Amino acid sequence: DTLWDLAIAEVEKRENPDDDDVKPGEVWEKSILFMGNKNGGKTTIILRCLEREESPKPTLALEYTFGRRARRHNTPKDVAHFWELGGGTSLVELIRIPITSHNVRSFAVVLVLDLSKPNELWTTMESLLGATRSHVNKILTKLEKTNPEVAAEIKQRMWNHLQRDHPDYALVDPFPIPLVIIGSKYDIFHEFDSEIRKIISKTLRFVSHYYGASLVFTSKSEALLLKARALINHLAFGYDKSKSVSVDPSKTLFIPAGLDSMSQIGPPPASDSDLGKMRANTPLELWKKVFEKTFPPKSFCDLQDTKDPAQDSQYAEYEVDVMRAQKNQ
């Protein structure tokens, strides 16, 4: 082999790692994109997952950090790349940067929804998941031409959490890459009226089950953060999946993907006469209409209060700032 052949082989090996059977001594690499409501607690969750004791700063645009863990003594450390999309739904086109055809096989998404703001919940979820799904689908269409085996494997893996004989097999529409939905600020949500809590919990259970996602509620409490961490560590480092399930609306929900069912969730929380009047083409559309009847979506614009990052003290660089001031002058 010439040096070029070896280089090409090395690059191909890096771009198509075979995650499922990582050989001893090989490094496992995964990427996770965190997105969701503005000030919803994404940074706090990432810092807890990486066991960093620093206080969270507001995220501007798209931020990157990483974590490393050794599976066993004297083995190379596995790497997890953590991306975080700031600005709520205003910068959604930036998801194209971290999710590419090279890493889509080892990519996962964590959607953090602020339970204390139910009127923003559906809009945030719909716009972020919709944009991510259409971007991943474009990548898959491209891969079907260039690397059909990988595209077929990703499509097959979407259904892994649900057995073919599951009664909901025909009723769900799994997300193309692994998805975890985290309901944050449970401490505030817990003070809500029990009926309101029930509607939000039931709706999020439906959405998670429909997308083949795991669902967990969390707050700043250590015990609840541990549950969220378990799900994220499973995505990031392949740790064992928790088999415990909690579906009681009076407690925090914890439902790993594939362990819920439509029959347990029940119908959308509305009277039969209301349901009869609602025209919807898909179950998801029906749930949306029922949810937005109770929580009309706020027309909110995330861009209005986005500060100029150039003026942000956490990005100060003396030489650059002096030149900039000179230029402005």
Side-chain angles (χ1 to χ4, degrees), residues 271-279 286:
S271 67
D272 290 349
S273 61
D274 280 351
L275 287 177
K277 289 179 205 150
M278 290 179 181
R279 299 195 176 283
L286 181 65

Side-chain angles (χ1 to χ4, degrees), residues 256-276:
L259 297 183
D260 211 340
S261 68
M262 298 292 186
S263 58
Q264 282 180 298
I265 297 166
S271 67
D272 290 349
S273 61
D274 280 351
L275 287 177

Side-chain angles (χ1 to χ4, degrees), residues 14 67 106 120 149 183 200 208-209 230 240 252 287 301 309 317:
R14 281 188 199 169
S106 56
E120 293 177 16
E149 295 87 15
I200 298 171
S208 301
H209 186 55
D240 287 346
T252 53
W287 278 80
C301 177
E317 280 189 59

Side-chain angles (χ1 to χ4, degrees), residues 132-143:
T132 309
R133 180 169 224 157
S134 90
H135 174 61
V136 172
N137 284 342
K138 275 181 200 152
I139 291 176
L140 289 179
T141 309
K142 215 161 76 180
L143 277 175

Side-chain angles (χ1 to χ4, degrees), residues 30-270:
K30 293 279 186 180
S31 305
I32 300 179
L33 172 63
F34 285 77
M35 55 192 188
N37 290 84
K38 211 169 175 173
N39 306 323
K42 299 181 290 295
T43 311
T44 306
I45 293 166
I46 293 173
L47 292 173
R48 287 306 301 122
C49 284
L50 297 174
E51 293 172 16
R52 293 191 190 151
E53 292 300 327
E54 57 205 78
S55 50
K57 295 191 184 96
T59 301
L60 277 159
L62 189 67
E63 293 203 356
Y64 168 82
T65 185
F66 66 93
R68 298 171 73 205
R69 300 270 157 86
R71 255 169 299 165
R72 285 180 297 280
H73 191 55
N74 284 345
T75 56
K77 286 186 172 176
D78 296 330
V79 181
H81 307 280
F82 288 87
W83 294 87
E84 184 188 350
L85 179 70
T89 55
S90 61
L91 303 169
V92 71
E93 65 278 7
L94 291 179
I95 57 171
R96 296 197 307 264
I97 296 166
I99 310 177
T100 66
S101 52
H102 296 320
N103 66 12
V104 70
R105 255 181 97 191
S106 56
F107 216 99
V109 169
V110 174
L111 176 68
V112 180
L113 296 172
D114 186 338
L115 295 173
S116 68
K117 296 177 182 163
N119 297 75
E120 293 177 16
L121 207 138
W122 196 285
T123 322
T124 302
M125 175 181 73
E126 191 173 52
S127 95
L128 290 172
L129 290 184
T132 309
R133 180 169 224 157
S134 90
H135 174 61
V136 172
N137 284 342
K138 275 181 200 152
I139 291 176
L140 289 179
T141 309
K142 215 161 76 180
L143 277 175
E144 274 165 355
K145 296 181 187 130
T146 57
N147 201 335
E149 295 87 15
V150 171
E153 184 204 320
I154 291 171
K155 288 191 167 172
Q156 172 53 44
R157 230 174 32 189
M158 283 161 59
W159 291 94
N160 279 358
H161 66 279
L162 221 55
Q163 263 61 50
R164 274 194 178 278
D165 56 359
H166 194 290
D168 303 336
Y169 199 81
L171 303 173
V172 297
D173 184 11
F175 207 66
I177 52 179
L179 172 66
V180 169
I181 296 177
I182 295 180
S184 66
K185 304 200 181 169
Y186 177 78
D187 43 345
I188 302 172
F189 171 76
H190 189 57
E191 304 298 318
F192 287 2
D193 176 72
S194 67
E195 260 328 287
I196 292 216
R197 287 208 313 265
K198 207 185 257 174
I199 294 172
I200 298 171
S201 298
K202 212 172 175 184
T203 304
L204 285 179
R205 276 180 69 185
F206 168 78
V207 168
S208 301
H209 186 55
Y210 184 78
Y211 282 132
S214 299
L215 174 67
V216 59
F217 282 2
T218 185
S219 71
K220 284 183 178 163
S221 106
E222 202 54 41
L224 293 185
L225 276 168
L226 274 174
K227 287 186 166 184
R229 236 173 90 181
L231 286 174
I232 293 164
N233 278 334
H234 169 70
L235 295 177
F237 301 107
Y239 288 11
D240 287 346
K241 238 205 286 249
S242 171
K243 291 280 190 291
S244 73
V245 177
S246 162
V247 294
D248 182 346
S250 63
K251 300 195 175 86
T252 53
L253 296 186
F254 180 80
I255 312 168
L259 297 183
D260 211 340
S261 68
M262 298 292 186
S263 58
Q264 282 180 298
I265 297 166

